[in-house]
Amino acid sequence: MGEVTNKLAVSLCGIDMDNPIIPASGTFGYGYEFADLYDINMLGTFSFKGTTRQPRFGNATPRIAECPSGMLNAVGLQNPGVDAVIAHELPKMRAVFTKPVMANVSGFSLDEYIEVSSRLDAEDSVGWIELNISCPNVHGGGMAFGTCASSAESVVRAVRDVVKKPLIVKLSPNVTSIVEIAKAVEAAGADGVSLINTLLGMRIDLRRRKPLLANVTGGYSGAAVFPVALRMVYQVAGAVKIPVVGMGGVSSAEDVIEMMLAGATAVEIGAENLRNPWACRDIIQALPDVMDKYGIDSLASIIGAAQP
Amino acid sequence: MKQSIFIIKENIALTHDVWKMVLEGDTSEITRPGQFVNILLDGLYLRRPISVHDAEDGVLTLIYKIVGVGTARMSEMKPGHSLDVLTGLGNGYDVTRAGARPLLIGGGVGVPPLYMLAKQLCAAGCEVTVILGFRSARDVFCKEAFEALGARVLVTTEDGTYGTRGFVTGVFDEAGDYTYTYSCGPEPMLRAVYNASGTSGEYSFEERMGCGFGACMGCSCKTLYGNKRICKDGPVLVKEEIVWEK
């Protein structure tokens, strides 16, 4: 089985990973809920819960709604704030996860993005910064920076100046052209992009005749969004030179391979963790057989193979 | 938490919209009354959290109300059907705090999780009184089951068609002295019990969940001791930490 590790290995922005599988931010906490279920060191890495400067409770409930082959969430960046993340969560995470972790950073102002990014950049356990300029569930933050090329460029440029570690910018699909935003953040110095964040959606409660979510709208994720995500990964990977981390509705080893063929260097898995807490373990274990089936010797060799 | 396959042995209507499902499988992770299970249903994305009515020696009993697509689909399932179930979710009730004469208060579909609690408290020699609140006579279920455990049962209905007319708090005097309260039901009922109860107690809350095991922050609530997740840190909160928000 020693060979299996090599077959799955990829390198993301200069950091070697045993495999491309990354539980997505907001679906994996700080890892320790899952560490009770399996050895999470088998993951490529994971992206921890989005961090802001101040503690945030997030939105009122209901925050979750069922959708066809997916779900809506409007959690609203609940997190204990960067001080508590560094003081309490990262040490607890370190006890169960020894690889470099991806630190997901969100914010409501340029200053906040700069401060939180530089604080987490200084942490030994952090391998990459994933800059979330695409949260659809907070007002005046997150997505506001990621839906306009010039503001995306300015926040990435500012954060680029203060962080030493690889900077991956998480992009919103809720834009006219995700390719234009991707090119703008590449020009601003991003080391990589990750996409897609959730698609803005809503449901209405038939009995109450009101929006089902307290926040009215929420982010749609789950298997249903996979084709949309794959298309955007394909388009972005064809337009930028920096690595692309693909995500959106990935639920199987086959989906992972499709994402990589489209041009993803690594693949994040989100909503699927919530319905099957062992999803990432299962996918990593399934990959070698699925690779054999399609004649793939190494995952690194297929990145972007479907591009023209 | 454990994932396992359960086989449906029985699935019958108790009232016009409340069903009882008996399943066989691995119940070893269900360690306290008041916990819940999370069930994956064909064609639905998110699992459906259902409170445990009883669990013993590989037999899991759920009593659920048809409130939406998921529970409607459950009601159509036949014996022999298998289900993918996460078990051992939630903190559950602490039976060690009951004292000699615990008072259990359940409203509607909040009644089922109190059964396993009453069973353990009766077995421990407590003098258990249970107040069951329903909307109308046609909604009443489980009264005899609690009586068979040796508990004293008081029933209220909002329209007075069965038991005492009114809400559960209307029969607190009749219930007599009690040492502790355990409650489960709709939030307005929990709040009324909280205000009427003269003792400490435990209150089981309901919320729409994403994962059911503490990962997604979909069901967070504020407490006097910080934010908690209904699914993982709850669903049972102690009286002294509850913050009423809505």
Side-chain angles (χ1 to χ4, degrees):
Chain A
M1 293 292 281
E3 261 178 62
V4 170
T5 310
N6 291 336
K7 286 174 65 167
L8 302 188
V10 295
S11 176
L12 179 61
C13 304
I15 301 176
D16 290 338
M17 294 166 63
D18 294 330
N19 60 65
I21 304 304
I22 308 172
S25 180
T27 65
F28 214 72
Y30 301 92
Y32 42 81
E33 266 80 24
F34 293 84
D36 290 341
L37 308 179
Y38 66 95
D39 181 5
I40 63 171
N41 287 296
M42 76 186 299
L43 300 167
T45 181
F46 74 92
S47 183
F48 64 67
K49 180 75 188 153
T51 306
T52 54
R53 183 158 51 192
Q54 302 298 330
R56 284 180 55 83
F57 174 70
N59 294 324
T61 56
R63 296 174 172 184
I64 303 287
E66 168 93 20
C67 295
S69 297
M71 60 181 284
L72 289 177
N73 92 82
V75 171
L77 295 176
Q78 180 178 346
N79 81 98
V82 67
D83 289 339
V85 167
I86 289 171
H88 306 299
E89 301 297 345
L90 294 188
K92 275 168 79 178
M93 180 209 76
R94 220 59 198 135
V96 294
F97 187 68
T98 56
K99 291 179 173 177
V101 74
M102 194 176 280
N104 187 286
V105 173
S106 203
F108 294 82
S109 68
L110 212 54
D111 285 349
E112 182 175 6
Y113 275 113
I114 291 168
E115 181 184 336
V116 176
S117 297
S118 59
R119 296 278 311 276
L120 291 171
D121 186 59
E123 288 297 308
D124 287 342
S125 54
V126 171
W128 306 260
I129 301 286
E130 185 178 53
L131 199 68
N132 178 7
I133 57 167
S134 48
C135 178
N137 295 326
V138 295
H139 301 284
M143 199 167 83
F145 287 93
T147 50
C148 156
S150 62
S151 60
E153 194 172 338
S154 59
V155 68
V156 172
R157 212 175 281 285
V159 172
R160 173 73 285 168
D161 284 344
V162 299
V163 302
K164 297 182 184 65
K165 292 184 174 151
L167 178 62
I168 294 171
V169 182
K170 185 168 178 178
L171 304 180
S172 171
N174 305 303
V175 293
T176 309
S177 168
I178 197 168
V179 170
E180 291 312 307
I181 308 282
K183 284 174 157 173
V185 303
E186 179 183 40
D191 298 301
V193 287
S194 58
L195 59 140
I196 57 172
N197 205 319
T198 54
L199 290 147
L200 200 53
M202 74 180 289
R203 296 299 304 267
I204 290 172
D205 185 330
L206 291 169
R207 288 197 184 89
R208 291 170 45 247
R209 302 182 182 183
K210 298 283 183 204
L212 213 154
L213 297 172
N215 189 54
V216 180
T217 60
Y220 189 18
S221 63
V225 312
F226 179 72
V228 178
L230 187 70
R231 182 266 295 178
M232 289 187 171
V233 166
Y234 180 81
Q235 289 177 330
V236 168
V240 299
K241 295 187 177 64
I242 52 178
V244 175
V245 179
M247 79 185 96
V250 176
S251 332
S252 66
E254 285 84 352
D255 292 349
V256 169
I257 291 171
E258 276 195 62
M259 274 288 182
M260 296 187 77
L261 289 168
T265 297
V267 177
E268 294 193 26
I269 291 160
E272 189 67 15
N273 292 306
L274 307 182
R275 56 201 301 273
N276 171 15
W278 292 271
C280 288
R281 178 201 66 182
D282 294 350
I283 288 171
I284 291 166
Q285 289 175 346
L287 271 168
D289 282 348
V290 178
M291 288 167 66
D292 284 348
K293 181 176 173 187
Y294 295 104
I296 299 166
D297 293 329
S298 105
L299 286 180
S301 71
I302 64 160
I303 296 167
Q307 290 282 342
Chain B
M1 177 168 78
K2 189 176 240 176
Q3 178 191 26
S4 44
I5 300 298
F6 281 73
I7 308 290
I8 299 172
K9 291 291 158 184
E10 186 184 0
N11 194 21
I12 56 166
L14 296 183
T15 74
H16 61 105
D17 63 357
V18 172
W19 288 63
K20 173 177 162 179
M21 182 183 278
V22 181
L23 305 110
E24 271 182 19
D26 182 350
T27 56
S28 60
E29 285 281 306
I30 303 168
T31 53
R32 305 224 296 192
Q35 290 183 314
F36 65 96
V37 298
N38 215 359
I39 307 175
L40 197 60
L41 298 168
D42 287 345
L44 295 177
Y45 193 75
L46 296 170
R47 288 172 183 267
R48 292 305 194 265
I50 307 284
S51 63
V52 171
H53 175 68
D54 197 14
E56 198 170 8
D57 301 335
V59 179
L60 170 66
T61 307
L62 308 174
I63 292 181
Y64 59 96
K65 182 178 176 178
I66 299 175
V67 292
V69 180
T71 41
R73 199 157 298 178
M74 282 175 67
S75 72
E76 290 156 9
M77 292 177 170
K78 304 282 180 253
H81 192 98
S82 62
L83 288 173
D84 174 335
V85 183
L86 295 178
T87 58
L89 302 175
N91 58 351
Y93 293 108
D94 183 354
V95 293
T96 66
R97 300 182 65 176
R101 290 180 309 283
L103 177 62
L104 281 53
I105 307 110
V109 80
V111 166
L114 297 179
Y115 177 79
M116 188 168 160
L117 175 67
K119 188 173 160 183
Q120 294 188 5
L121 294 173
C122 287
C126 297
E127 201 178 299
V128 178
T129 300
V130 184
I131 302 173
L132 305 178
F134 300 99
R135 206 163 273 152
S136 187
R138 69 177 196 144
D139 299 308
V140 176
F141 64 89
C142 270
K143 177 177 180 281
E144 293 77 13
F146 282 97
E147 285 169 344
L149 295 173
R152 177 176 163 231
V153 182
L154 305 171
V155 176
T156 64
T157 53
E158 288 173 35
D159 63 3
T161 50
Y162 193 99
T164 305
R165 183 191 190 99
F167 294 109
V168 289
T169 44
V171 293
F172 266 46
D173 287 344
E174 196 182 331
D177 285 345
Y178 51 92
T179 48
Y180 199 67
T181 47
Y182 295 98
S183 191
C184 183
E187 201 159 310
M189 187 207 87
L190 294 180
R191 198 189 290 230
V193 170
Y194 176 97
N195 290 326
S197 156
T199 69
S200 178
E202 297 177 16
Y203 296 74
S204 183
F205 286 79
E206 190 173 49
E207 188 53 81
R208 277 179 185 262
M209 294 175 184
C211 63
F213 53 86
C216 75
M217 303 292 160
C219 61
S220 297
C221 70
K222 291 177 182 168
T223 76
L224 289 177
Y225 305 103
N227 301 332
K228 292 203 170 184
R229 299 158 295 182
I230 293 294
C231 69
K232 174 97 177 185
D233 309 309
V236 176
L237 301 180
V238 296
K239 187 176 188 181
E240 291 73 20
E241 67 180 330
I242 294 170
V243 175
W244 300 104
E245 281 217 88
K246 287 172 185 168

